[in-house]
Amino acid sequence: MSLPREEGDDERAPPGVLLVDDDEVNLLLTASALRSRGMQVREASGGAAALRLLQDWTPDLIVLDALMPGLDGFETCRRLRSLPGCELLPVLMLTGLDDDASIERAYDAGATDFFVKSTQWSLLCGRVRNLLRSARTHHELLRSRAKLARAQDLARMGSFDWRFGPRGLRLEPEALRVLGRSPRDRRLGLRRMLRMLVGAERHGMAALLREVLRHSTVLDTDATVALPDGRRRIIHIEAEPEFDEHGNLCGYTGVIQDVTDRRMIEDRIKHLANFDSLTGLPNRRQLMWRAERALEHARRLGHRFALLLIDLDRFKGINDTLGHGAGDELLVEIGRRLRACLNPGDALGDLGVELNPLHSHRVLEAVGRLGGDEFVALLPEIDGEACAKRLAERLLQATRAPVLLEGREYFVTASVGIAIYPRDGHSVVDLLRNADVAMYSVKSAGRNAAQAYRPHLAGQSRQKLELESALHKALERGELVLHYQPKVEVGGHRVTGVEALMRWRRGTELVLPADFIPLAEETGLIVPMSEWAIREAARQIRSWRDESGLDLSVAINLPSRAFERSDLVEQIQRAAVLHGVPLRALELEITETGLMKNLQEVIPALHRLTRSGVGISIDDFGTGYSSLAYLTQLPISELKIDRSFVHNLGITEQSSAVISAILALARSLGLRVIAEGVENHRQREVLSRLGCDTMQGYLFAEPLPAAALADWLGTPGAPTRTVWAPA
């Protein structure tokens, strides 16, 4: 049995020929002639012997005598055609007859060619070579067609031929498979093809064909077809025009391909590119595209268009407390609620095409996720600001309803900023920026509301941004200074210490704490600023001792965030050692609210500070929500009565009652008490009568620079200064 030949084998292996003849002499002579020309010849003396050989061996060609006793050449040829591998085998029929009937009979039996017997062996060998060459060509053609058919089958593709006239539309088997049809439907017909199209695509395809035929152009389109089994598939059709010898269009040749899977992948990629993977809402890219289109329509048609920026309030608390999984659940639920407030056209996502002129620009209406916990709502056409505010209120109501997370209800709110074209900007970037400004104004005012943009809001935001930028550089440039306000023991007419109050010398302007301390706390700059204040206070204590002989303790306001630093105690100790001052000369003031905010973290640090000699004072006492139980455990030495109680002394009885209670509490706990904000003699007299002898306020002195404080202490009538005596 011969092995299958591969490309290039023809140059190395001679062709195999099976020679069949009942005449021994002719068999010998013919075999000798073929062998002399480089062919491998096997011989059979009759048809039956030849069929037996073909059971185990397939030659490249068969030379078969027509007239043989028993099984003649015609019958042998008919039988061998049914053997595996012999269907297309070239067969040369040798005959001594030279009549048309024998020739027709040879072809009918399946012969490839015939040759009249003669002794001109060169003619016979030439005919054999031609048959071998034709067989190889035919074999390669069949292989190429098989590869093409396989490739088309894998690609779900098939070819077709469309000719004008009787031939009509002819589809190859591969094309029929694409359409779910059998080979019997080869002449499917153009009308039947059009009837396979779905819905309005049928009329659209007919119109397209008329246009293509009118201009003799290439046909290149996609169509949705309904297969016989009910499935719907997307078919790509591509065809080139063909012309006759006179240059007239005579038909089209092309391919059809099932591109359903590819289109599904493309649609998936498009969806991922334009829609948020978590909430399924349009993402930033899609929102910007919709906003640009809405802006174009508003500009062309002369109507107003609104952009609403929605930011969830305190979303970080949910993430930090319950984890990002719960945060994602919250975003999905809020996204669903926001979307329900509008009628968005979420299917519109092709960034490469314009809106269908038949569709209104209102299909651009959408709510999408800009990123994080920020959402955007687009209203392509509104009557006025009131329309946008009505939607904003619906959005706020949607967010206020409780959200079920991990089996428990949680409440979230939102802040909404509104910007309207053309009043608040002429580009999407401007509108988005101004909506952001309006939204942050809501955040500053307490959250859970909506605000339309106003020009003065931008000024406030710009001023705040400039102030924040300058504050970052204030430490580097040495623009921060400390002013000192004395604490006065009224009965003994002496100064017991001072409170250090931070000021910012910005150029020639002196910025007060109320204008920059909240910003410092918001940005986190308050921590390095407080660390600087500790070092500066220690330096000033040393300077007063060396230059004026003053022995003053200094109280520094410390935010609760400063206690997040694990090395806070070490920082204070290093500052004291660096300037050679005792730790008892430093006192820390922390507000009641700040103390309770991180109580568990603050208590250990307070104990370490107290053991090292640093005094602890609770500032603004009475305005927070401290627990008396904690007050008995804290290592504090002083309470400062908030100025709000001092302000109404002598005017309302309630203020006196509160201060009396604080003084009684302090005496029972062995704590010092200072009343701050004393501005007139009435307040001083009432405090003295209630038993509070240490005070601080403008009645005695305003906060003064370090040098001015030393001069003030030296003026006649000033409280007695404490003098430091070196050891």
Side-chain angles (χ1 to χ4, degrees):
M1 184 175 182
S2 63
L3 295 173
R5 295 192 177 181
E6 299 180 357
E7 293 185 16
D9 285 354
D10 289 346
E11 292 77 15
R12 296 189 297 272
V17 177
L18 174 60
L19 183 59
V20 186
D21 199 333
D22 66 309
D23 189 324
E24 295 290 339
V25 175
N26 283 338
L27 190 64
L28 179 63
L29 293 174
T30 305
S32 177
L34 294 175
R35 287 191 180 101
S36 66
R37 285 162 176 81
M39 301 179 194
Q40 289 185 343
V41 181
R42 295 183 69 174
E43 304 160 12
S45 58
L51 293 174
R52 285 194 297 272
L53 276 174
L54 291 173
Q55 296 290 334
D56 301 320
W57 176 61
T58 302
D60 295 306
L61 180 138
I62 299 175
V63 178
L64 180 60
D65 187 19
L67 299 178
M68 294 183 295
L71 198 63
D72 65 10
F74 302 108
E75 183 61 26
T76 302
C77 187
R78 264 190 294 272
R79 292 189 183 183
L80 69 85
R81 286 302 184 202
S82 64
L83 296 176
C86 298
E87 300 90 344
L88 302 176
L89 198 62
V91 177
L92 179 64
M93 190 78 77
L94 297 179
T95 178
L97 306 174
D98 192 11
D99 59 279
D100 293 341
S102 297
I103 295 171
E104 288 297 325
R105 189 180 174 193
Y107 285 132
D108 289 343
T112 308
D113 202 353
F114 75 96
F115 187 79
V116 178
K117 285 184 178 181
S118 74
T119 56
Q120 293 181 306
W121 305 113
S122 59
L123 293 177
L124 174 64
C125 292
R127 182 66 61 85
V128 168
R129 283 201 182 93
N130 286 336
L131 278 177
L132 287 169
R133 189 179 301 112
S134 298
R136 283 195 296 270
T137 302
H138 184 58
H139 178 67
E140 290 301 322
L141 177 61
L142 290 177
R143 284 181 61 188
S144 296
R145 291 192 62 180
K147 288 180 179 179
L148 176 61
R150 178 59 179 159
Q152 289 183 336
D153 195 40
L154 290 172
R156 298 182 183 178
M157 176 189 293
S159 57
F160 68 87
D161 189 58
W162 180 28
R163 288 289 177 269
F164 307 147
R167 287 185 59 187
L169 179 67
R170 294 172 60 89
L171 291 96
E172 294 299 323
E174 294 81 11
L176 290 168
R177 279 198 294 273
V178 170
L179 298 173
R181 302 281 176 165
S182 68
R184 293 191 301 273
D185 296 323
R186 189 169 186 182
R187 291 186 177 275
L188 194 60
L190 183 60
R191 291 183 183 277
R192 289 179 64 190
M193 278 282 291
L194 287 174
R195 280 196 290 270
M196 293 179 66
L197 299 181
V198 173
E201 292 196 31
R202 189 178 306 164
H203 302 290
M205 179 62 75
L208 177 62
L209 289 176
R210 285 193 292 270
E211 187 69 16
V212 165
L213 291 174
R214 184 180 300 116
H215 299 287
S216 302
T217 54
V218 171
L219 175 63
D220 188 351
T221 188
D222 289 350
T224 305
V225 298
L227 302 189
D229 60 6
R231 290 180 301 150
R232 292 191 174 189
R233 308 294 289 178
I234 301 172
I235 305 299
H236 177 68
I237 307 168
E238 190 170 338
E240 294 277 352
E242 293 197 349
F243 305 90
D244 60 18
E245 62 272 14
H246 303 294
N248 298 318
L249 181 67
C250 61
Y252 276 82
T253 300
V255 295
I256 61 173
Q257 183 179 14
D258 186 339
V259 295
T260 309
D261 293 342
R262 188 182 74 193
R263 282 285 294 273
M264 289 175 64
I265 294 172
E266 289 173 354
D267 290 345
R268 177 62 178 161
I269 292 172
K270 187 184 298 181
H271 189 275
L272 290 173
N274 294 290
F275 292 86
D276 177 48
S277 59
L278 177 64
T279 63
L281 298 175
N283 61 12
R284 185 185 187 91
R285 181 171 182 259
Q286 173 71 185
L287 285 169
M288 295 300 285
W289 179 82
R290 288 180 186 241
E292 292 288 356
R293 301 291 84 72
L295 196 64
E296 290 173 10
H297 283 271
R299 189 178 291 123
R300 186 170 65 250
L301 301 176
H303 60 249
R304 281 169 285 198
F305 139 67
L307 185 151
L308 286 71
L309 182 62
I310 307 117
D311 187 89
L312 300 185
D313 298 328
R314 301 183 179 91
F315 172 73
K316 187 176 183 296
I318 295 287
N319 254 356
D320 293 346
T321 305
L322 302 181
H324 291 281
D328 288 348
E329 286 184 41
L330 175 65
L331 291 174
V332 170
E333 174 60 19
I334 294 297
R336 185 192 63 77
R337 293 182 187 180
L338 296 179
R339 186 180 183 278
C341 295
L342 285 85
N343 299 305
D346 284 352
L348 186 67
D350 188 351
L351 306 184
V353 297
E354 292 297 324
L355 287 175
N356 188 323
L358 299 177
H359 291 159
S360 167
H361 55 274
R362 291 184 181 275
V363 300
L364 291 164
E365 182 172 304
V367 61
R369 186 184 177 201
L370 193 64
D373 61 341
E374 284 189 326
F375 297 84
V376 166
L378 299 178
L379 291 179
E381 183 176 354
I382 59 169
D383 297 328
E385 183 180 306
C387 178
K389 284 191 171 180
R390 283 194 296 272
L391 172 63
E393 188 54 40
R394 289 203 304 273
L395 297 171
L396 289 170
Q397 288 293 342
T399 60
R400 287 168 186 154
V403 180
L404 193 65
L405 299 174
E406 299 181 353
R408 298 184 63 182
E409 287 187 341
Y410 293 89
F411 292 84
V412 291
T413 58
S415 300
V416 181
I418 303 169
I420 298 173
Y421 169 86
R423 186 191 71 186
D424 302 328
H426 290 81
S427 70
V428 174
V429 173
D430 290 341
L431 292 170
L432 194 59
R433 181 183 63 245
N434 291 336
D436 191 59
V437 169
M439 183 269 292
Y440 272 104
S441 74
V442 176
K443 295 278 190 186
S444 301
R447 302 177 173 86
N448 191 23
Q451 170 68 55
Y453 174 77
R454 296 290 184 268
H456 74 273
L457 297 176
Q460 293 173 357
S461 298
R462 190 176 297 109
Q463 183 180 7
K464 181 180 178 182
L465 186 63
E466 291 174 357
L467 194 67
E468 180 181 338
S469 178
L471 188 57
H472 273 277
K473 300 175 182 177
L475 269 173
E476 303 172 12
R477 295 173 177 172
E479 295 176 351
L480 296 179
V481 295
L482 292 181
H483 284 194
Y484 303 89
Q485 188 174 38
K487 303 175 185 179
V488 179
E489 184 185 311
V490 178
H493 198 60
R494 68 186 185 90
V495 173
T496 61
V498 295
E499 179 183 359
L501 298 168
M502 197 177 296
R503 299 290 186 267
W504 178 13
R505 188 177 289 113
R506 190 181 179 196
T508 57
E509 176 191 4
L510 194 65
V511 185
L512 296 177
D515 296 328
F516 70 89
I517 292 297
L519 182 61
E521 290 177 340
E522 181 182 333
T523 58
L525 286 172
I526 192 66
V527 175
M529 289 167 62
S530 299
E531 293 169 357
W532 168 84
I534 292 170
R535 295 192 299 271
E536 174 61 15
R539 185 199 65 79
Q540 188 57 54
I541 291 170
R542 183 77 231 179
S543 176
W544 278 326
R545 289 188 171 192
D546 293 344
E547 297 175 8
S548 306
L550 294 176
D551 185 15
L552 293 174
S553 64
V554 177
I556 304 110
N557 291 283
L558 205 63
S560 61
R561 293 184 64 174
F563 287 90
E564 296 174 3
R565 294 287 299 266
S566 59
D567 62 342
L568 173 63
V569 177
E570 287 72 17
Q571 284 186 26
I572 296 174
Q573 290 173 340
R574 283 197 297 270
V577 170
L578 177 64
H579 297 289
V581 298
L583 284 168
R584 62 173 177 77
L586 292 170
E587 188 177 90
L588 300 181
E589 291 188 8
I590 181 170
T591 63
E592 185 180 5
T593 303
L595 177 69
M596 297 302 296
K597 190 180 296 183
N598 296 306
L599 188 61
Q600 297 306 318
E601 296 180 9
V602 169
I603 287 179
L606 292 182
H607 279 288
R608 291 181 62 197
L609 287 167
T610 303
R611 285 195 298 270
S612 66
V614 177
I616 307 297
S617 174
I618 296 183
D619 198 8
D620 300 337
F621 187 77
T623 60
Y625 46 86
S626 62
S627 165
L628 293 180
Y630 279 118
L631 199 58
T632 60
Q633 301 172 22
L634 293 171
I636 58 177
S637 55
E638 183 178 83
L639 299 180
K640 297 189 73 174
I641 300 174
D642 186 69
R643 66 184 64 246
S644 61
F645 300 119
V646 174
H647 180 72
N648 292 321
L649 279 178
I651 301 175
T652 64
E653 294 181 1
Q654 291 86 347
S655 296
S656 297
V658 170
I659 291 178
S660 295
I662 294 174
L663 289 168
L665 175 66
R667 279 194 292 269
S668 64
L669 296 175
L671 303 176
R672 297 191 307 272
V673 178
I674 298 177
E676 57 183 352
V678 180
E679 298 178 352
N680 55 57
H681 290 285
R682 184 192 73 247
Q683 295 166 348
R684 170 183 170 175
E685 290 170 2
V686 174
L687 286 168
S688 296
R689 189 168 62 248
L690 293 174
C692 180
D693 196 41
T694 306
M695 307 176 197
Q696 177 183 344
Y698 277 74
L699 177 63
F700 308 103
E702 63 182 12
L704 299 168
L709 178 68
D711 294 339
W712 175 80
L713 286 170
T715 59
T720 304
R721 58 181 179 176
T722 302
V723 179
W724 173 60

